[in-house]
Amino acid sequence: PRLEPRMGLFSAAQLASVSTALRTGVTGSACFVLIGVLTGIWRWRILLRNKNPHKYVNVAHQAAWTYSYVTLLMGLLAEISDFEEQTKLYLVLGSLSFFVQSEISYIVHGVLEDTYN
């Protein structure tokens, strides 16, 4: 029997059939995982110098992991919802843009070490 070319767990045809909202959610989730890893390395390097990381370094690290999970979940929920495709995409993009802005703010405050609220 001829094997169908596959990408990971799903075939190319299966991946092409999912909504844009789900693809956006999965892509956003992967980006937040990468940010979580990078902020974790940043936090770890600060700890190696026997210093306590700034509060916002910890917040950026923890928020990235939380946002990765939430973004993936939102994409999956959008996939099974009965809204129109464009509405689902706007809902995912709206939340994703809030998460990105928050993460940027946390990283900026962690780099500048300018606030302790």
Side-chain angles (χ1 to χ4, degrees):
R2 184 168 182 256
L3 294 176
E4 186 177 328
R6 295 175 69 90
M7 296 172 40
L9 297 175
F10 303 101
S11 69
Q14 288 173 317
L15 288 176
S17 68
V18 298
S19 69
T20 307
L22 176 60
R23 279 187 252 151
T24 303
V26 170
T27 303
S29 179
C31 290
F32 279 119
V33 166
L34 179 62
I35 293 169
V37 169
L38 294 175
T39 55
I41 292 170
W42 179 27
R43 185 177 182 275
W44 175 68
R45 291 188 58 150
I46 293 170
L47 288 170
L48 282 180
R49 292 183 289 186
N50 292 325
K51 292 174 64 178
N52 287 328
H54 188 269
K55 179 179 181 178
Y56 275 92
V57 174
N58 292 330
V59 169
H61 177 63
Q62 293 170 359
W65 290 109
T66 303
Y67 293 159
S68 71
Y69 170 73
V70 171
T71 305
L72 180 62
L73 186 60
M74 284 181 357
L76 291 171
L77 290 174
E79 178 71 16
I80 63 172
S81 74
D82 291 332
F83 291 116
E84 295 179 14
E85 291 300 316
Q86 191 173 13
T87 304
K88 293 192 284 189
L89 179 61
Y90 286 153
L91 291 171
V92 171
L93 284 174
S95 301
L96 188 60
S97 69
F98 172 76
F99 295 155
V100 168
Q101 291 172 13
S102 299
E103 192 66 31
I104 289 170
S105 173
Y106 301 149
I107 291 170
V108 166
H109 287 301
V111 168
L112 297 177
E113 297 183 1
D114 61 346
T115 183
Y116 287 92
N117 58 354

